[in-house]
Amino acid sequence: MVKDSKSIIDILHKVFDVNKYRLRESNPQVPLMYGLPKIHKTGDKMRKIVSCVNSPFEKPAKWLMSEMKKFGRFEGFSVENSFEFIEKVKDIELTEDEILISFDVTALFPSVPVNVALDAIKEHLQKSNVSIEHTNAYILAIETCMKYNCFQFRNTYYSNDFGCSMGNSLSPYIAEAFMCKLEREMKDEEIFPRIWWRYVDDTFAVVKKSDVERVLNLINSRHSSIKFTYELENALDHTLSFLDLKIKRFGSKIQFDVYRKPTTTDRYITHDSYCSYQNKIASFNSMIYRMCRLPLSVADYKNEYEHILHLAQVNGYKKSLIDQLIKKHTQRIKKKNCSTLFSQNAENINTDRRVALPFVPKICNQLKHTFSKANLTIVNSNKNKLSSSLGSSKDAKPMNKKSGIYEINCSTCSSKYIGQTKRAVECRIAEHQRYINNKDIQKAVAAHAFDLTHTEPHNMTPLLDNYKLIKSVPLPSKLDAYESIYMSITENLMNIEESPITSNLFALAK
C-alpha cells in the first residue's frame, strides 16, 4: 500500500508538478473501522465508519478531490440540497393516476462498480477538454486509491474486493459519477420516470401507480450489485418524507413542510450551558433560516413558528430572541433576492481567517480586538463533549506507533533528551540507537552516551529502552511548538540544539 502510494505521488508530481512531500504520510497506518449508534432510528443498530486518517492514500485522495471540483458537476439528475430540490419540483403538475415515491440504494458505496464509474469520470474529463496525459494520470491515481479497500478492526484486517473504498474522500465522487451515468443510460432508453431527482442515494420520483413494480425491476436490473428499495406516499394524508422535507400532495400541486424524524427530541444546547453564545443559538439559526427559505403555506409557517418557540422555551430561551433571528434572516433573504450586490459584498468582506480557541470568556474577549488587527477571528470551541466522556470506539494505537514529542532518560544521570518525530516514535528511537552504534557524537544522545565526564561507562541498551512518548501530536505543523514547550519546562537537557521556537510565553508553562 505504501509503495503504491509513493508511486502514484511521484506520477502526480511529474505530471502536475505537485509537491510530493505534502502528499506523503510520514506515519502511515491501515484505515480504522469503528461504529456510531444510529440514534435517529429505533433499535440498537450501528453505522460502520472507516477512518482513513493517516492512511497512505488520505492526502492524494484529498488532492484529487480538490482537482475534480474544478471540472464541475456531472450531467445528471442530482441536487445539492433541499432548496435546489424545491426549485426543481415546485411547479410540477400531478395526475390522479400518479404517485409520489422515493427510491433508496441499499449500501451505495460498497455496491458501486468502480470500473463503470471510472469510465464516467474519463468521459467527463474529456468533455472538459482535459489533455490525454492529465486524464490518464487522474484515472490511474483514482483507480489506485480505490484499489486498497481495506480496514482494521479489533486488530484484525479486512478487505473488500468490490465497491468504493470506505472512508476515502474520493468515494462520494466515484458514487456520484456512477449514479449520473446510470441515470443518463436509463433516460436514453426511455425507461426513466417522468420526475426523478436524487440526493446521493435518495431519489424522489413521480410514477404511475400501475408502473411502480415495473420501474423498480427495471432500475434493479441495470447492475447486479445495485439494489433499490422504495417508499410510497402515505395513502391517508398523501405525504412523503424526502431529505428534511415533508412533501404533500395538494390536488395537482405539491406543497412543502418541515420533516422531523419520530426519534427527534426537544433538547438542544440550553441557555445556561457553558459555551459561546454563537454555539448556543446555532441550532435556532438553522431552523429559522430553513423556515424562512421554504415556500411554506400560511398554516405550515405558523405551525413551524410555534414549534420553534416551544423548543426555545424548553431550552431556556426567550421569544424575543426567536423574533429577532426571524427578522435578521428575513431581511437577508430579501436583500439576496433583490440583488446579487449584497452577497458579493459579503464575500469580499469575509476575508478573515479563523482561529479556534477554548471557550474562556475572560481571555478570549480581551484577545478579540488584538486578533482582529491581524484579520483573525476567534472561534470558540468546547472540549467538554459527550464523545470525550464516552471515549473512542476505534482500536487504540500503540504508543510506540504514534508520532509526537518523546523523552529519552539517561540510565546513569538525570539528563533528558526531548525530541520530535513525524513518524512512529519507535522508528526515531531506532535511529538514535544507530547513532550510538556508529559512535556519531555529532548527535545529542550519542554524544551524551560517550561523555567522558561520567564516573562509569554507559550501558547503551537501557539508555534507549528508557524512553516514552510524552505528547502525541498527529499534526506535523504543531511539533515545533510542543517541542519548544517541553524543552522549556525540562531540566538537565542533553539536547545540543536549542528549541525550534523561542518565546517568553513558554516560561508560563513551567
Side-chain angles (χ1 to χ4, degrees), residues 84-92 195 197 204 254 256:
E84 183 181 355
F85 167 73
I86 289 174
E87 290 299 318
K88 300 289 188 183
V89 302
K90 64 180 182 180
D91 296 325
I92 64 174
I195 302 296
W197 292 105
F204 170 82
I254 59 174
F256 304 95

Side-chain angles (χ1 to χ4, degrees), residues 183-376:
E183 290 165 347
R184 292 195 302 270
E185 290 176 350
M186 291 192 297
K187 181 182 179 183
D188 293 339
E189 296 178 16
E190 298 182 353
I191 61 173
F192 211 48
R194 184 172 70 88
I195 302 296
W196 176 287
W197 292 105
R198 174 182 50 80
Y199 178 79
V200 189
D201 60 346
D202 293 330
T203 304
F204 170 82
V206 176
V207 300
K208 292 186 180 296
K209 297 177 181 178
S210 58
D211 289 344
V212 172
E213 292 297 332
R214 184 183 67 86
V215 171
L216 179 65
N217 292 332
L218 285 172
I219 60 179
N220 277 335
S221 64
R222 303 300 302 177
H223 293 274
S224 59
S225 61
I226 300 295
K227 296 299 178 185
F228 286 84
T229 59
Y230 69 90
E231 179 183 354
L232 298 174
E233 68 174 85
N234 191 302
L236 297 178
D237 56 4
H238 300 289
T239 62
L240 177 70
S241 60
F242 182 72
L243 301 181
D244 59 346
L245 301 173
K246 180 185 289 185
I247 305 171
K248 301 186 292 185
R249 179 196 287 266
F250 188 74
S252 61
K253 298 286 187 179
I254 59 174
Q255 293 182 346
F256 304 95
D257 196 3
V258 176
Y259 173 75
R260 292 181 174 87
K261 293 182 180 294
T263 52
T264 301
T265 65
D266 293 343
R267 180 59 63 193
Y268 294 90
I269 300 178
T270 57
H271 180 266
D272 56 355
S273 297
Y274 187 74
C275 59
S276 66
Y277 177 74
Q278 288 78 9
N279 288 341
K280 289 180 182 180
I281 66 171
S283 299
F284 293 97
N285 264 317
S286 176
M287 288 186 287
I288 291 172
Y289 175 76
R290 178 176 60 179
M291 181 184 70
C292 295
R293 277 287 306 272
L294 294 179
L296 302 177
S297 65
V298 176
D300 291 335
Y301 183 93
K302 182 178 179 181
N303 291 336
E304 180 64 13
Y305 173 70
E306 294 294 336
H307 185 78
I308 294 176
L309 285 181
H310 168 72
L311 295 176
Q313 182 181 9
V314 169
N315 292 279
Y317 299 94
K318 296 181 179 179
K319 178 178 178 294
S320 57
L321 170 66
I322 303 302
D323 293 335
Q324 179 183 352
L325 293 177
I326 291 175
K327 182 178 179 181
K328 180 187 72 172
H329 286 292
T330 303
Q331 290 178 346
R332 285 184 178 179
I333 293 171
K334 286 182 178 179
K335 287 182 178 180
K336 186 177 180 180
N337 292 336
C338 290
S339 173
T340 58
L341 177 64
F342 299 101
S343 58
Q344 291 175 356
N345 289 340
E347 291 177 359
N348 295 332
I349 294 173
N350 190 21
T351 57
D352 293 352
R353 292 174 296 170
R354 295 183 177 182
V355 178
L357 294 177
F359 179 64
V360 185
K362 291 184 179 180
I363 298 177
C364 293
N365 291 338
Q366 296 181 22
L367 291 175
K368 282 183 178 179
H369 179 68
T370 304
F371 275 50
S372 64
K373 294 180 180 179
N375 292 330
L376 297 175

